């Protein structure tokens, strides 16, 4: 993974809240299907170096700290929220667009999470687990040509959107 990305950066910790502050995405902001929950997150004081933590469409958020079962949950930021940042329990991954699509990395990491790769390599602590950037960057990933990545991710995104719509419709009926 480290060979095809530009950056893997952890967010910042903030135990404080500020209703006039900036929205900070956290562990529960990442859904298990690769989407951001726009209603999750908290408002925190704006840090002086806020520009370093602002999310851009195409940024991948990897859950680096959580329970053993949820470590490695991954989502892609699609710009569904205005100006927001991310917590230290998340790692923001920015890809090298000449080598890989963000959506490709998203689906590869989701699959690795589903198959227990992160559960197997995480560092376990009391009531939580973690994956450091070095372990994350050493993950082996398949890397087809960009044109193949586009075809595959387009199919997977179409399926994901259909499932998301079905899930929302089912929730409305219940």
């Amino acid at each position: 993974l480290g060979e095809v990305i530009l950056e893997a950066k952890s967010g910042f910790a903030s135990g404080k809240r500020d209703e006039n502050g900036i929205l900070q995405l956290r562990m529960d902001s990442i859904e298990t299907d690769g989407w951001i929950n726009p209603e999750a997150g908290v408002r925190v004081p704006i840090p002086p170096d806020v520009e370093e933590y602002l999310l851009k469409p195409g940024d991948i958020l990897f859950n680096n700290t959580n329970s053993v079962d949820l470590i490695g949950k991954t989502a892609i930021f699609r710009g569904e929220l205005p100006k927001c940042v991310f917590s230290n329990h998340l790692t923001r991954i920015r890809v090298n667009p000449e080598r890989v699509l963000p959506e490709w990395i998203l689906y590869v990491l989701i699959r690795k999470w589903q198959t227990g790769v992160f559960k197997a390599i995480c560092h376990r602590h009391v009531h939580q687990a973690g994956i450091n950037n070095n372990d994350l960057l050493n993950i082996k990933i398949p890397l087809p040509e960009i044109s193949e990545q586009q075809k595959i991710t387009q199919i997977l995104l179409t399926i994901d959107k259909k499932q998301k719509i079905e899930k929302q419709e089912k929730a409305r009926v219940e």
Side-chain angles (χ1 to χ4, degrees), residues 14-71:
S14 181
K16 296 181 180 177
R17 303 294 178 266
D18 181 349
E19 65 184 45
N20 298 313
I22 193 161
L23 182 65
Q24 184 185 54
L25 299 182
R26 297 178 160 223
M27 296 179 292
D28 59 343
S29 304
I30 295 178
E31 296 183 351
T32 58
D33 60 2
W35 292 79
I36 300 289
N37 178 351
E39 296 174 15
V42 297
R43 293 213 167 264
V44 300
I46 299 171
D49 55 350
V50 67
E51 295 296 323
E52 290 185 42
Y53 300 101
L54 290 175
L55 292 172
K56 298 177 184 175
D59 283 348
I60 299 160
L61 293 174
F62 176 86
N63 192 182
N64 64 45
T65 306
N66 209 320
S67 67
V68 173
D69 290 332
L70 295 178
I71 195 82

Side-chain angles (χ1 to χ4, degrees), residues 25-40 59-62 73-81 90 103 106-107 110 113 153-154 156-165 167-168:
L25 299 182
R26 297 178 160 223
M27 296 179 292
D28 59 343
S29 304
I30 295 178
E31 296 183 351
T32 58
D33 60 2
W35 292 79
I36 300 289
N37 178 351
E39 296 174 15
D59 283 348
I60 299 160
L61 293 174
F62 176 86
K73 259 190 329 176
T74 305
I76 192 166
F77 183 74
R78 295 174 170 91
E80 52 270 78
L81 296 164
L90 302 176
E103 295 83 1
L106 169 70
Y107 288 119
I110 286 174
W113 173 67
T153 58
Q154 189 58 47
L156 293 173
L157 182 59
T158 301
I159 293 167
D160 281 353
K161 285 181 178 177
K162 183 178 183 216
Q163 288 175 341
K164 192 150 194 75
I165 291 168
K167 184 179 173 183
Q168 290 169 342

Side-chain angles (χ1 to χ4, degrees), residues 85-100:
V85 294
F86 56 106
S87 85
N88 60 313
H89 298 294
L90 302 176
T91 300
R92 177 184 65 203
I93 299 170
R94 289 191 171 152
V95 304
N96 178 345
E98 295 174 4
R99 306 259 343 253
V100 68

Side-chain angles (χ1 to χ4, degrees), residues 83 112 144 149:
K83 207 170 189 179
K112 290 193 177 289
Q149 292 176 36

Side-chain angles (χ1 to χ4, degrees), residues 111-145:
R111 185 66 182 144
K112 290 193 177 289
W113 173 67
Q114 291 171 335
T115 57
V117 169
F118 302 119
K119 191 175 189 177
I121 66 168
C122 69
H123 304 275
R124 296 165 192 252
H125 309 284
V126 178
H127 302 297
Q128 70 178 8
I131 292 184
N132 63 42
N133 274 2
N134 191 46
D135 291 337
L136 176 60
L137 296 178
N138 284 320
I139 293 287
K140 302 281 186 223
I141 63 166
L143 194 61
E145 295 294 324

